[in-house]
Amino acid sequence: MAGPRRALRAAVALALAGTLVMACGADDGGSEPLTWSMWASGGEEQQVWHELAERVSREDPEITLRLETSSFDAYFAELDSRFARGDAPCVVSMQSLRTEGHTQGMLPLDDLIARTGFDVTDFDTSVMEGLSADGKQYALPYDVGPVILTYNKDMFRGAGVPEPEPGWTLAEFESAARELTGERTYGFVAAPQDVWMWPMVLTKSGARPTDGAGRLRLTTPAMTEGVQWYADLAARKRVAPRLPGADPAFAETQFLSGDVAMAASGPWALLNLKNQAGFQVGLTTIPAGPDGSRTYSAGSGFGISKSCPDPERAFKAITLMTARKQLEWLGGVGRAYPSRESAQHAWYENARLAGAREVLEAANATAIPLRTTKHWDRVNHLLNQHGPALFSGSSSARQVLERVQSQAGTG
């Protein structure tokens, strides 16, 4: 069953978290290794990044990457501390949602791109935008993807509920969630994490968490309406499990348990889902609200810290890490929906999920980058802190959002 496998992987992740993994590139007394920081959720994912480091070294023996990993939840706080101390790794992994808050320690890449003539036209424009701030590019992307819904095909079939297709509506989503909810099962899992909650709010009410200038806007009527509807899936309608406490992994854990039929996710999560789920996984679009199906895109990439003593060699490394050849490989093992459009075929060939291309193309057609603030980690922390009260119904969306807005600040 999925439970023992998850426990084993959790033990492996705990044992490996924060450890140092040395790439097996050619380090024979020549060029100093370049340190590279990355998040990894366990041994399998860590091995993927280890292999990428080795592949880069085989491509250019002058480059050896020394990989350092930590959990995603700890990664950005640790990175900030290292930025402040001036000892950050040369190659820094960055998520588009958090770029705005970490530029103080990162080197803008625009001059290096221009000086080397590196061609960025093959990269998806939305994630390039997401990895930029104030008109400057801070990372080259390796993956991108729209937020979609994953669903448990076994639960749908067992309950006799038609599987959702791209273009389905919020009314159809709620109807399916009700039919799939039983004594010990739920139709959906709702949680206050940014990449999972905001697309559902966007499609419901059109509300966005920030304005065009990167200021936090959580207290508008449309935002309050959308978040209240989302929280009520657990608090009032009872088609989603109650949130027991501040737990960033709650949504994924609940979906993988096999007792929840639907969850928000992204193509970048396919590797873990395929390996850990004890059921057949399906994909569909975020259900359509008044203005159709709407969603956000997100992605990640590699940048360079200001403390790196050899930024030119680090730039060469990240161009090799994001080369078409390497992104086809990452797509082929299911770790990334490649940021290069020319490499995305590898993801579809590996996924082998019926209708995956139709779902992702439909989602990409309406996806917009999720723009955040410089203090986005603080926003997420507060949402997780106050989430249990919101999702239990003991606090309203208006109360919680006003509290988060006040405590996190506007920018």
Side-chain angles (χ1 to χ4, degrees):
M1 294 295 292
R5 289 201 302 271
R6 286 198 308 276
L8 176 61
R9 287 186 172 89
V12 172
L14 184 61
L16 292 175
T19 58
L20 186 70
V21 179
M22 177 75 79
C24 300
D27 182 18
D28 56 1
S31 301
E32 285 293 315
L34 295 169
T35 50
W36 164 31
S37 62
M38 185 65 201
W39 56 85
S41 61
E44 293 177 1
E45 191 172 16
Q46 192 176 53
Q47 184 56 41
V48 168
W49 299 126
H50 186 197
E51 175 64 20
L52 179 61
E54 293 179 328
R55 291 170 67 89
V56 167
S57 292
R58 289 197 294 268
E59 198 74 20
D60 186 341
E62 292 297 313
I63 295 176
T64 301
L65 289 166
R66 181 182 293 139
L67 175 63
E68 301 173 356
T69 66
S70 61
S71 69
F72 184 84
D73 294 335
Y75 176 83
F76 293 96
E78 292 174 3
L79 185 61
D80 277 342
S81 296
R82 299 189 68 174
F83 281 158
R85 296 196 305 266
D87 65 351
C90 265
V91 176
V92 175
S93 304
M94 184 52 55
Q95 187 202 44
S96 60
L97 275 62
R98 286 161 172 78
T99 305
E100 288 274 358
H102 296 85
T103 57
Q104 76 279 3
M106 297 181 68
L107 185 72
L109 303 181
D110 305 86
D111 289 345
L112 286 163
I113 292 172
R115 195 176 340 134
T116 61
F118 182 68
D119 186 4
V120 299
T121 57
D122 191 28
F123 290 118
D124 178 274
T125 56
S126 70
V127 71
M128 286 289 284
E129 180 184 342
L131 292 169
S132 67
D134 300 321
K136 298 177 181 178
Q137 193 70 42
Y138 283 95
L140 298 179
Y142 68 83
D143 82 342
V144 66
V147 180
I148 55 176
L149 285 192
T150 53
Y151 65 92
N152 184 326
K153 283 177 170 281
D154 297 351
M155 285 186 69
F156 271 78
R157 290 168 183 164
V161 178
E163 293 184 33
E165 298 181 357
W168 70 322
T169 66
L170 281 173
E172 292 170 322
F173 160 75
E174 289 199 51
S175 175
R178 285 193 300 270
E179 291 185 62
L180 289 157
T181 297
E183 184 178 348
R184 296 182 180 179
T185 61
Y186 293 93
F188 181 66
V189 56
Q193 277 69 55
D194 48 17
V195 77
W196 309 145
M197 180 168 72
W198 299 129
M200 295 293 285
V201 172
L202 177 68
T203 202
K204 172 65 176 178
S205 69
R208 305 184 189 187
T210 63
D211 64 13
R215 293 182 292 251
L216 195 62
R217 291 292 182 266
L218 296 183
T219 57
T220 65
M223 178 59 74
T224 301
E225 173 198 345
V227 171
Q228 189 65 65
W229 165 82
Y230 182 75
D232 279 347
L233 294 171
R236 188 170 63 85
K237 298 177 181 178
R238 309 290 178 88
V239 298
R242 293 287 182 92
L243 184 67
D247 180 5
F250 178 73
E252 181 181 9
T253 301
Q254 288 293 306
F255 181 66
L256 286 173
S257 74
D259 296 327
V260 169
M262 294 178 284
S265 191
W268 57 82
L270 183 66
L271 177 66
N272 283 339
L273 287 180
K274 288 183 68 176
N275 286 341
Q276 297 183 42
F279 51 84
Q280 192 174 2
V281 177
L283 307 178
T284 191
T285 53
I286 297 290
D291 297 316
S293 177
R294 305 181 67 183
T295 191
Y296 288 109
S297 64
S300 301
F302 308 120
I304 303 170
S305 71
K306 288 180 178 178
S307 57
C308 180
D310 194 348
E312 286 78 12
R313 195 157 58 94
F315 183 72
K316 178 63 180 300
I318 66 175
T319 63
L320 292 175
M321 295 164 79
T322 58
R324 175 179 175 177
K325 176 181 179 180
Q326 307 306 345
L327 298 193
E328 286 176 329
W329 175 74
L330 282 173
V333 298
R335 178 52 187 84
Y337 182 73
S339 56
R340 286 184 178 271
E341 295 178 0
S342 63
Q344 289 171 357
H345 67 92
W347 187 93
Y348 294 110
E349 292 161 5
N350 170 72
R352 297 176 184 172
L353 291 172
R357 185 181 292 275
E358 179 187 5
V359 169
L360 289 178
E361 288 181 351
N364 278 326
T366 62
I368 58 175
L370 177 52
R371 305 304 298 181
T372 59
T373 71
K374 291 184 180 297
H375 307 294
W376 194 245
D377 284 336
R378 175 69 173 159
V379 174
N380 262 330
H381 172 77
L382 289 167
L383 286 170
N384 275 287
Q385 177 183 332
H386 299 299
L390 173 60
F391 285 76
S392 70
S394 60
S395 291
S396 69
R398 181 180 61 80
Q399 292 170 324
V400 168
L401 293 173
E402 286 179 353
R403 201 172 299 141
V404 173
Q405 177 81 40
S406 173
Q407 293 177 8
T410 58

